[in-house]
Amino acid sequence: MPDHNKIDPPRQLPLDLGHGTGYSRDELVVSSTNSQAVALVDRWPDWPSPVVVLAGPAGSGKTHLASIWRARAGAVRVDAGRIGDCIADLGARPALIDDVDAGPVDEEGLFHLINAVRGAGLTLLLTARRFPSAWGVTLPDLASRLKAAATVEIHEPDDLLLAGVITKLFADRQVEVEPHVVQYLVRRIERSLATAMRVVERLDRTAMERKTPITRALAAETVSAMDEGQGEFEI
């Protein structure tokens, strides 16, 4: 039985922004769009099923949450294209497959991995863009196993989550930005945590190069440049 009185070490969210920033679980911004997924990660190993699927669109933060869980659980990362080869290396550790539906699902490999996990009393976390019913699985036994899995949906970031993430990313860089600039970015950028990180990095870099504060005008210029696919700015 797990010791619930044991204090967990900080779980790091692996976002290397070039500033040595540590993203612990305690710093993770939570909103209605990801609260169920966060709660599930926090509940481990008290899961409703040995197999859990975290499903949501690109940029919703699935991989980051999975990485927090992987560090907490000491899980083995399994290559979605080589599932069968990884089963022997599982040992007594939980397993993680990120983006399991990015290509054709290795149905035989996934079926045997699920059986191995269930048989050993372990847990398996799968992240995917779609629910298992949309993976095109044709192996009846695997389809049955996936129906028994617990599926949690994570949505595109809402305004609260995006604003919180952007504010935190600037704070990690020791940069003060007016709230109206943050709100402008929330309205203009793609609803993606990855995009939020890119726009903060570009704004910070450009402001340093020009030796100017981060204003709404600079934010507008930066977002427009990103929309046009420009890699660099003309300084």
Side-chain angles (χ1 to χ4, degrees), residues 2-214:
D3 182 4
H4 294 291
N5 295 319
K6 180 181 177 182
I7 298 176
D8 291 328
R11 276 91 71 185
Q12 298 301 311
L13 186 61
L15 304 177
D16 182 6
L17 301 179
H19 287 253
T21 305
Y23 280 67
S24 70
R25 165 62 186 86
D26 293 337
E27 294 174 303
L28 183 67
V29 179
V30 181
S31 81
S32 60
T33 62
N34 65 355
S35 58
Q36 283 189 312
V38 173
L40 191 78
V41 168
D42 286 344
R43 279 182 60 185
W44 185 88
D46 180 22
W47 274 4
S49 169
V51 181
V52 167
V53 180
L54 185 56
S60 58
K62 302 185 302 294
T63 295
H64 300 159
L65 278 171
S67 295
I68 290 175
W69 175 78
R70 181 189 176 203
R72 180 177 186 179
V76 176
R77 180 183 291 278
V78 175
D79 185 338
R82 299 176 52 253
I83 298 175
D85 297 339
C86 299
I87 294 176
D89 300 328
L90 195 61
R93 298 169 63 189
L96 164 67
I97 304 180
D98 200 15
D99 286 329
V100 69
D101 63 338
V105 176
D106 175 3
E107 297 189 29
E108 288 284 349
L110 184 55
F111 173 67
H112 290 302
L113 176 61
I114 291 175
N115 284 345
V117 165
R118 287 161 56 105
L122 300 171
T123 45
L124 169 65
L125 178 62
L126 307 170
T127 75
R129 294 192 181 189
R130 299 161 297 170
F131 282 68
S133 58
W135 293 357
V137 169
T138 59
L139 187 65
D141 288 339
L142 175 58
S144 175
R145 292 285 189 269
L146 291 172
K147 284 181 181 177
T151 300
V152 178
E153 187 173 11
I154 182 169
H155 303 274
E156 290 182 339
D158 58 8
D159 288 357
L160 176 66
L161 181 58
L162 267 185
V165 167
I166 290 170
T167 301
K168 180 188 175 330
L169 290 170
F170 279 123
D172 287 339
R173 292 170 172 268
Q174 299 182 327
V175 175
E176 289 189 15
V177 178
E178 294 290 337
H180 72 272
V181 176
V182 174
Q183 290 305 317
Y184 172 79
L185 291 171
V186 167
R187 292 193 301 269
R188 283 293 313 277
I189 69 171
E190 174 190 322
R191 309 198 71 74
S192 157
L193 301 184
T195 300
M197 287 184 280
R198 285 198 300 272
V199 76
V200 166
E201 191 277 331
R202 288 195 181 197
L203 268 171
D204 186 27
R205 186 182 71 223
T206 306
M208 286 192 294
E209 289 171 345
R210 298 182 183 183
K211 297 181 173 59
T212 60
I214 295 175

